[in-house]
Amino acid sequence: MARSTPVKKALRSLTWLVIIMAALAGLNTAASVLAANSKDDTNEWFAGASWVPELALDLQGGTQLTLAAQNTEGGSVTSQQLSQAVNIIRQRINATGVSESQINTQGTNNIVVSIPGKPDKATIDRIEAAAKLTFRPVLYTEAATNTAVGGDGKTASPTPYSPPASLDATPSTKPTNGSDLSQVTPALQDLYTNYNCAAPDDVTTAPDDEPLVTCDQDGAAKYILGPVEVSGAGISNATSGLATDSQGATTGQWAVNLTFSGKSSDDFRDVTSRLVKLPSPQNQFAIVLDGTVITAPASNAAITNGKAQITGNFTAESSKTLADQLKYGALPINFQVQSNENISATLGTAQLVGGLVAGLIGLILVVIYSIIQYRALAFVTVLSLGVAAVLTYLVIAIMSWRVDYRLSLAGVAGLIVAIGITADSFIVYFERIRDELRDGRGLESAVESGWKRALRTILASDSINFLAAVVLYVLAVSDVKGFAFTLLLTTLIDVVVVVLFTHPMMQLIARSRFFGEGHKFSGLDPSALGAVYRGRAQFRAPVVDGKRQRSAGEAQRRQTIAERKAQRASGDNGSTPDGKDD
């Protein structure tokens, strides 16, 4: 088998880099074309695709919602409830990625939600539906009435219906369980018969221990529901995916998988054990969010292990929406939307341009330093920074439409910091090569030996940056999270660029005459670096005069401990002050 030479390895690495960049560019181009030519949003995979990254709230502005908290159990809203609600709303908004949204409390019972850009209706609905999630047994259900009372359903306003005060609202016998039909009093039955799904009614905020008359989200069906028997706070996880049969084979139907924990698991077992024995519709268990039924599946078996699966006419999108509602819907309080308004950018284009100018100045300074320190070798630095910039832009552009990533001013700061991180990797590598040249190696050998030593240092440095970015991302919120994310992303790209571009380029240019022979403007001139040549475990110092005397001293200072010990053992103590060998 033919041995793989450094040139072949270099060409193979560069080929992989070209493939990666072409794949990223091709993906973004194809998605942008499909998004531009799509007449609807039926294919959400490439919806909103563009070559221009999305901007965050501080640079673009967006939408601001003010939510007033209301305790469904009566009394005032506590700070702990408000804090829990803020955390859950933040999880809901950021469920698909980094969106740079801001969720803050205002006063004693308000939450202000600021979202960058123009969020879609699904996102707004997810926030406005922030409420207490509960499970209630179904007592009765039928097609809904949703026309305006006393009108043609178009010109008159819907009017809530209230039962006559003469009707009895107390059960004649004490209900034995949540599915007992004795809970349906004459007043409740009258309300159910005349209930209008197009008209809001305070009955949707009925206490947990009383029956509830309400409708589903589409207003297509109305229900009489029993009291709350399982709290949504007991849901530890909810996911969507394709359902499987008892043999593990996929059925092709989308389903939502629920996992209950603690007491809720026991409650769910008791309720499903009862419902599975009842006729329809009493075998249904309604999931209620903000007083509205989001789904009411029938119980086909007793769930004894706290793990349930909801199937039906789901699509990939609807199953994920329901899973998000179940996972993030267990808020301890209800909300009323006080305002929904557009807000302007807090910083704006001027600050973005200022940040980009600062980055450009930093880049120019890095290039100037590289030219002064490394002469013609600086072109490798410039090309490497260019490759890193292209990769970063492609990844950010794709993430903008795939995971709702938005670039904030803090993110721009992270990109500027990345210039220094990337330049630091080049400096470590170049200095390792120079050390090998000072030690008497040829350039090709110095590139390979220097790479082995430099790679360990680069990976150690980038690992520390990566861990710091991860910790900062996990613990921080809002803009700081955006800075941490860009720092994490650019750290990974730095490793890719150094491995797939910088090192292969050095392998190739090491074979060129200009660099290989150590031209004085190459930045790799052994004599200018103060090279020390080995000969039978002894060190021979270069000519000591002027600049070369300083280079010789530098070469001696850069010797490793092992090299110094070997030198002393051989009896060669280097050059004496008069320039003669000992």
Side-chain angles (χ1 to χ4, degrees):
M1 180 180 293
R3 183 180 177 183
S4 180
T5 64
V7 173
K8 290 182 178 179
K9 292 180 180 178
L11 294 176
R12 186 161 55 243
S13 298
L14 292 174
T15 300
W16 276 111
L17 179 63
V18 171
I19 291 174
I20 292 173
M21 297 178 68
L24 292 174
L27 173 62
N28 202 55
T29 300
S32 300
V33 171
L34 291 173
N37 295 332
S38 178
K39 297 181 180 179
D40 51 42
D41 293 330
T42 54
N43 193 335
E44 292 193 352
W45 199 92
F46 55 79
S50 171
W51 275 96
V52 180
E54 294 289 343
L55 300 179
L57 193 67
D58 56 349
L59 299 176
Q60 181 180 354
T63 301
Q64 181 172 282
L65 301 174
T66 302
L67 309 175
Q70 299 173 337
N71 194 325
T72 57
E73 302 297 330
S76 60
V77 177
T78 66
S79 59
Q80 183 179 4
Q81 288 176 322
L82 208 62
S83 177
Q84 182 182 351
V86 168
N87 290 333
I88 295 177
I89 291 176
R90 181 177 290 113
Q91 288 177 319
R92 287 182 174 185
I93 296 174
N94 297 335
T96 57
V98 183
S99 64
E100 294 287 345
S101 58
Q102 296 181 2
I103 303 97
N104 303 299
T105 59
Q106 184 183 73
T108 58
N109 68 334
N110 286 347
I111 293 179
V112 178
V113 181
S114 301
I115 309 172
K118 294 181 180 179
D120 55 23
K121 186 176 183 300
T123 301
I124 296 295
D125 291 343
R126 185 181 298 143
I127 299 170
E128 293 182 348
K132 188 176 181 180
L133 184 72
T134 57
F135 291 74
R136 292 175 178 261
V138 176
L139 303 181
Y140 290 102
T141 182
E142 63 182 41
T145 301
N146 52 21
T147 57
V149 177
D152 58 7
K154 297 180 181 179
T155 57
S157 300
T159 304
Y161 178 81
S162 298
S166 58
L167 294 178
D168 191 2
T170 304
S172 57
T173 60
K174 184 178 180 180
T176 57
N177 56 56
S179 298
D180 195 334
L181 296 180
S182 65
Q183 301 174 93
V184 184
T185 63
L188 192 65
Q189 181 63 57
D190 183 73
L191 173 63
Y192 173 69
T193 302
N194 296 280
Y195 192 78
N196 185 358
C197 288
D201 199 290
D202 289 341
V203 74
T204 57
T205 59
D208 289 350
D209 58 351
E210 295 182 9
L212 170 69
V213 177
T214 187
C215 300
D216 62 6
Q217 290 180 313
D218 300 327
K222 60 181 179 180
Y223 298 85
I224 299 181
L225 305 177
V228 173
E229 297 201 273
V230 179
S231 170
I235 297 176
S236 60
N237 194 22
T239 60
S240 61
L242 292 173
T244 56
D245 56 23
S246 56
Q247 283 75 36
T250 301
T251 63
Q253 287 185 316
W254 286 92
V256 176
N257 302 299
L258 293 176
T259 302
F260 291 88
S261 61
K263 183 178 181 298
S264 293
S265 178
D266 298 333
D267 293 341
F268 197 75
R269 176 199 60 208
D270 297 339
V271 175
T272 54
S273 298
R274 183 186 76 234
L275 296 182
V276 73
K277 303 174 184 177
L278 300 177
S280 179
Q282 289 174 263
N283 65 343
Q284 293 178 243
F285 206 11
I287 304 173
V288 183
L289 182 64
D290 197 21
T292 302
V293 176
I294 58 176
T295 186
S299 298
N300 298 325
I303 308 300
T304 59
N305 61 357
K307 296 181 179 180
Q309 185 178 80
I310 304 174
T311 57
N313 296 322
F314 289 123
T315 62
E317 179 185 357
S318 62
S319 62
K320 184 181 185 306
T321 299
L322 178 57
D324 286 344
Q325 287 177 314
L326 296 175
K327 185 175 182 179
Y328 303 124
L331 287 173
I333 47 183
N334 287 335
F335 290 99
Q336 180 180 1
V337 179
Q338 296 261 325
S339 64
N340 183 338
E341 58 186 0
N342 294 327
I343 56 175
S344 59
T346 56
L347 295 176
T349 306
Q351 281 71 17
L352 175 60
V353 173
L356 295 177
V357 169
L360 180 61
I361 293 173
L363 181 60
I364 292 174
L365 291 176
V366 169
V367 172
I368 293 174
Y369 171 82
S370 297
I371 294 174
I372 295 173
Q373 183 71 12
Y374 299 112
R375 307 296 193 273
L377 193 60
F379 95 97
V380 178
T381 301
V382 175
L383 291 178
S384 298
L385 287 171
V387 171
V390 171
L391 280 175
T392 302
Y393 187 88
L394 289 173
V395 173
I396 288 178
I398 293 174
M399 292 179 65
S400 290
W401 54 267
R402 277 303 300 145
V403 296
D404 198 27
Y405 172 81
R406 291 178 178 271
L407 188 62
S408 64
L409 193 60
V412 174
L415 297 179
I416 296 174
V417 171
I419 298 174
I421 294 175
T422 305
D424 182 63
S425 298
F426 305 153
I427 292 173
V428 169
Y429 183 26
F430 294 162
E431 289 301 324
R432 290 299 190 188
I433 294 175
R434 285 182 159 193
D435 285 345
E436 297 296 330
L437 291 174
R438 292 186 182 98
D439 202 25
R441 295 182 183 271
L443 181 56
E444 293 185 51
S445 176
V447 166
E448 298 304 320
S449 300
W451 171 245
K452 293 177 182 179
R453 299 174 61 188
L455 182 60
R456 292 193 297 268
T457 305
I458 292 171
L459 291 179
S461 176
D462 283 345
S463 296
I464 294 174
N465 289 331
F466 183 84
L467 291 176
V470 170
V471 172
L472 192 60
Y473 180 82
V474 172
L475 299 181
V477 295
S478 189
D479 290 345
V480 180
K481 188 182 290 287
F483 171 81
F485 187 83
T486 53
L487 184 61
L488 186 152
L489 176 64
T490 51
T491 299
L492 294 176
I493 290 177
D494 174 50
V495 176
V496 173
V497 171
V498 171
V499 173
L500 296 183
F501 184 79
T502 309
H503 176 51
M505 284 296 295
M506 290 304 301
Q507 288 178 308
L508 294 178
I509 69 173
R511 296 178 61 85
S512 67
R513 182 176 179 180
F514 181 81
F515 287 95
E517 295 183 356
H519 192 281
K520 63 179 181 179
F521 292 122
S522 67
L524 297 172
D525 180 7
S527 59
L529 295 174
V532 178
Y533 297 94
R534 288 181 175 177
R536 297 185 180 180
Q538 295 186 353
F539 293 81
R540 180 166 56 85
V543 178
V544 184
D545 61 346
K547 180 178 179 180
R548 295 191 179 187
Q549 183 177 11
R550 293 192 298 270
S551 298
E554 183 180 1
Q556 290 179 341
R557 288 193 298 273
R558 289 178 178 271
Q559 289 178 2
T560 64
I561 295 175
E563 290 171 341
R564 291 174 181 174
K565 287 183 178 179
Q567 183 178 3
R568 287 196 296 268
S570 65
D572 183 5
N573 293 322
S575 298
T576 60
D578 60 0
K580 298 180 181 180
D581 294 341
D582 289 341

